[in-house]
Amino acid sequence: MRRATQGLTAAAVIGLASLSQGAWAHAHIASSEPAAQATVEAPKSVRVTFDSALEGALSKLTVVDAKGKAVTQAKPELDAARKTLTLAVPTLAAGEYQANWVAVASDGHRTQGSFKFTVK
Ligand SMILES: [Cu+2]
């Protein structure tokens, strides 16, 4: 009986430890290409790198023009390290664009954000 209780306690401690580790696994944006607020030549893709691994099927990256219209219906690709989302885009005309991202970390926590860039 005592042994079983100890086993349960150990399991609870391990459970708590992995939960609190998970709480640190929120994905935050580390960098992007183009960078936020940058003015660039028309890029071939828009790329966002996060500080922790993502769930590819749930994470999103879209790019809209100044009128809010999506520039592509394509889905972003997640790299092997699961930290960078890359969205291939058609040749973008000069103007202002906004990238919107939703990052679902490996612990299921969701973060989101957006940034603007200008194509010259
Ligand atoms: Cu989290």
Side-chain angles (χ1 to χ4, degrees):
M1 187 61 193
R2 187 175 171 78
R3 208 187 179 97
T5 309
Q6 274 177 351
L8 270 178
T9 306
V13 167
I14 291 166
L16 274 176
S18 54
L19 262 181
S20 58
Q21 232 174 29
W24 292 104
H26 292 60
H28 296 283
I29 190 166
S31 63
S32 69
E33 228 183 286
Q37 308 301 333
T39 298
V40 295
E41 304 282 351
K44 290 196 161 54
S45 64
V46 172
R47 187 168 293 184
V48 185
T49 300
F50 297 89
D51 60 0
S52 70
L54 307 184
E55 289 301 329
L58 301 170
S59 300
K60 291 177 187 149
L61 174 60
T62 57
V63 175
V64 298
D65 65 16
K67 290 175 183 160
K69 185 171 181 280
V71 302
T72 175
Q73 298 304 314
K75 297 264 179 279
E77 284 185 14
L78 188 60
D79 73 333
R82 295 171 45 219
K83 288 188 172 178
T84 301
L85 285 171
T86 301
L87 180 68
V89 293
T91 306
L92 301 176
E96 197 174 78
Y97 295 87
Q98 180 170 311
N100 301 309
W101 54 265
V102 175
V104 179
S106 49
D107 66 354
H109 290 154
R110 186 184 146 114
T111 48
Q112 60 187 306
S114 63
F115 61 91
K116 288 183 174 167
F117 62 92
T118 302
V119 172
K120 60 185 171 191

